[in-house]
Amino acid sequence: MKTYVIGDLQGCHEQALALLERIRAHADADGVAEPAILLAGDLINRGPDSLATLRHVRKLAMASGGLIDSVLGNHDLHLLAVAYGIRPEHKSDTLAEILHAPDRDELIDWVRRRPLAIQVKDHVLVHAGLLPQWSAAQAMALAGEVQEMLRGDGIEDFLAEMYGNEPAQWSDELAGADRLRCIINAMTRLRFCSAHGVMDFKMKESGTADPASGLMPWFDVPGRRSARDTVVFGHWSALGLKLEPKLIGLDSGCVWGGQLSAVCLEDRSLLQVQCPQFQAPGK
């Protein structure tokens, strides 16, 4: 078996198709007819073809028998919030085609049933990051709590309470909406936090923090409990591609004119396609 993880697509359909072709050729060269393909979330938004991208990934996933799937990213959750009338569209959104598509309901239902985290052997895939207090096993259990709410009948009430930056720090005593919001923020929005795991959501345009701020990338926190497992994530285009023994960062800025990247988990092969600039950073 070969397992490939792809970074943030963000509606870049043609580039997704090109990278999928490269993945299949790479796997075929190793005698693997049906590779597993996982996506790091943010399938849609800001790129030019959000509807085509979502339709294609859903079709592949549904025909794959579980070999193809995606975790939820913050843009995917934003789509749900807009679709359920919880949030308005942003001026930079490219979601209108999805929201007015004849198969809108099927697409939205598929998105809300996606996992927040996926574990593959000693790899954990999440869109943004894990708080330093969490082991990989605890993170998977916490992701399951959110998934249960998203897939349940009370999804509208849940989405209405999903937004906000507090609580910014994890405690096992958190309950209700505060608990779920903290989990979602970490797994879909986290970049920087303090040594005590207090999340910061202000800094987005850099891969490094001023040492005087007391902040650091979430994966650099000393004593991080998930450090024994390899965490695979996207979300952080300013950080760019990051390949370390126990860390794989895959948001290489496809929608900003960078690359769309995939890594084979078994041998660390890197596959990339170059992308046009569909959005200007900071816009």
Side-chain angles (χ1 to χ4, degrees), residues 144-160:
E145 294 181 25
V146 173
Q147 290 158 204
E148 183 178 359
M149 296 298 296
L150 285 170
R151 297 168 184 177
D153 294 336
I155 183 173
E156 292 183 45
D157 293 337
F158 171 72
L159 292 172

Side-chain angles (χ1 to χ4, degrees), residues 69-72 111 113-118 147 151:
D69 206 349
S70 176
V71 296
L72 285 166
V111 170
R113 296 182 187 281
R114 304 286 39 87
L116 201 60
I118 295 174
Q147 290 158 204
R151 297 168 184 177

Side-chain angles (χ1 to χ4, degrees), residues 115-266:
L116 201 60
I118 295 174
Q119 188 160 22
V120 182
K121 297 181 181 178
D122 60 347
H123 294 75
V124 177
L125 171 63
V126 67
H127 178 62
L130 300 181
L131 286 171
Q133 298 96 327
W134 297 342
S135 66
Q138 183 180 10
M140 292 304 301
L142 295 173
E145 294 181 25
V146 173
Q147 290 158 204
E148 183 178 359
M149 296 298 296
L150 285 170
R151 297 168 184 177
D153 294 336
I155 183 173
E156 292 183 45
D157 293 337
F158 171 72
L159 292 172
E161 296 182 314
M162 180 175 67
Y163 287 96
N165 294 340
E166 297 293 336
Q169 186 175 21
W170 177 254
S171 166
D172 289 337
E173 304 305 314
L174 287 174
D178 284 349
R179 180 181 179 90
L180 298 173
R181 189 183 309 113
C182 190
I183 297 167
I184 285 175
N185 282 343
M187 294 191 182
T188 69
R189 298 177 61 204
L190 179 61
R191 294 183 179 95
F192 293 102
C193 64
S194 74
H196 298 290
V198 179
M199 294 182 280
D200 173 85
F201 300 113
K202 295 179 181 178
M203 289 197 298
K204 301 179 181 180
E205 309 303 327
S206 175
T208 59
D210 183 345
S213 70
L215 297 173
M216 62 194 76
W218 62 266
F219 46 78
D220 283 341
V221 173
R224 175 171 60 88
R225 293 188 64 206
S226 59
R228 292 183 180 181
D229 293 85
T230 300
V231 182
V232 189
F233 64 101
H235 183 60
W236 201 344
S237 60
L239 180 72
L241 185 71
K242 190 173 186 67
L243 300 177
E244 295 185 357
K246 291 291 185 178
L247 203 70
I248 301 176
L250 284 173
D251 187 355
S252 45
C254 176
V255 78
W256 312 114
Q259 298 82 32
L260 182 61
S261 299
V263 165
C264 176
L265 299 185
E266 286 76 16

Side-chain angles (χ1 to χ4, degrees), residues 55-78:
R55 278 177 172 164
H56 190 73
V57 173
R58 175 179 177 267
K59 180 180 178 181
L60 291 177
M62 293 185 70
S64 73
L67 287 176
I68 298 176
D69 206 349
S70 176
V71 296
L72 285 166
N74 53 299
H75 284 284
D76 309 313
L77 289 171
H78 175 60

Side-chain angles (χ1 to χ4, degrees), residues 12-46:
C12 299
H13 185 229
E14 289 188 13
Q15 291 68 41
L17 294 179
L19 186 56
L20 286 166
E21 274 192 32
R22 292 203 60 193
I23 288 172
R24 292 191 177 100
H26 186 270
D28 187 62
D30 287 336
V32 179
E34 295 292 337
I37 300 174
L38 303 176
L39 297 107
D42 279 3
L43 299 176
I44 44 83
N45 213 12
R46 291 192 173 154

